[in-house]
Amino acid sequence: MVWPHAGFILGEAMEKNEFNALVNAFEHAYDALSAELNPLGPDELNFVPPILDAWSINEHLVHLLDADSNLVMRLRGAVAEPGRSVPVWNQEAWRAKNNYSASDGVFCLDLAVSLRKFLAESLRTLDDATREAACVMHPERGKLSLADVLTIYTGHADFHFKYLKRNLEAFKNK
């Protein structure tokens, strides 16, 4: 599977320089989203468009932190315990039960950016053998290499950025 926005192919072997380019893309995947948030106030952040199952921008930001918090265990587990199983998590349940709307989404994004910096710094230190052996077993996607997981999560930022743009457009047109 190709993630066009990331330019990497799942399951494809990577040279060290390609891996480092992916780590860089992963680390900076929230840059555009962060820049777009700067001028937004509480009204824009908390607005939920009149679309079935829509989330506010704030809720998307809290979700990104939860996703990246889960990712820490996935990536570091892939390195420490290659082949370990990772759980699927129900993002709707997390949103509902953890009251995303009451959390500070901008702060959550700042934490997610910090987590990505931490992960990127540690991933750059891996030797080739460790990097190539690192993988997880996902119940729905099967075996995922370290590069596969990074590719998926690099694309995750772009996926949610589209919702931010959609919500801002809906807010302007309300």
Side-chain angles (χ1 to χ4, degrees):
M1 164 182 249
V2 177
W3 288 88
H5 42 270
F8 301 100
I9 301 172
L10 293 184
E12 188 175 86
M14 285 190 172
E15 298 294 323
K16 180 74 171 182
N17 62 337
E18 292 174 301
F19 181 77
N20 284 337
L22 175 56
V23 169
N24 245 14
F26 164 78
E27 181 179 10
H28 295 283
Y30 292 145
D31 289 357
L33 196 146
S34 293
E36 193 77 25
L37 290 175
N38 258 351
L40 301 184
D43 290 343
E44 291 100 338
L45 290 170
N46 294 308
F47 173 74
V48 178
I51 300 169
L52 182 65
D53 298 327
W55 294 13
S56 70
I57 292 170
N58 188 76
E59 291 170 318
H60 282 277
L61 300 176
V62 177
H63 164 77
L64 292 173
L65 176 59
D66 275 346
D68 283 2
S69 296
N70 276 287
L71 178 62
V72 170
M73 292 300 294
R74 289 175 182 215
L75 288 177
R76 294 188 56 88
V79 170
E81 304 171 66
R84 73 179 293 199
S85 294
V86 295
V88 174
W89 61 290
N90 179 336
Q91 65 185 22
E92 291 294 341
W94 282 58
R95 174 181 163 246
K97 301 286 184 176
N98 288 302
N99 200 11
Y100 279 17
S101 62
S103 296
D104 180 344
V106 175
F107 177 70
C108 289
L109 182 64
D110 288 343
L111 289 173
V113 167
S114 294
L115 284 177
R116 285 187 177 225
K117 180 177 174 47
F118 162 70
L119 288 169
E121 287 175 351
S122 71
L123 291 169
R124 288 186 190 102
T125 69
L126 299 178
D127 61 68
D128 290 345
T130 301
R131 175 178 50 84
E132 291 166 13
C135 65
V136 294
M137 293 303 295
H138 189 280
E140 295 171 349
R141 296 177 185 223
K143 183 179 179 180
L144 297 171
S145 71
L146 199 56
D148 292 339
V149 176
L150 282 170
T151 300
I152 291 165
Y153 277 83
T154 299
H156 192 233
D158 288 341
F159 179 81
H160 285 276
F161 187 66
K162 289 185 287 191
Y163 288 113
L164 177 140
K165 297 295 245 178
R166 179 205 66 193
N167 283 16
L168 288 177
E169 188 64 31
F171 182 81
K172 288 178 198 171
N173 294 324
K174 67 177 184 154

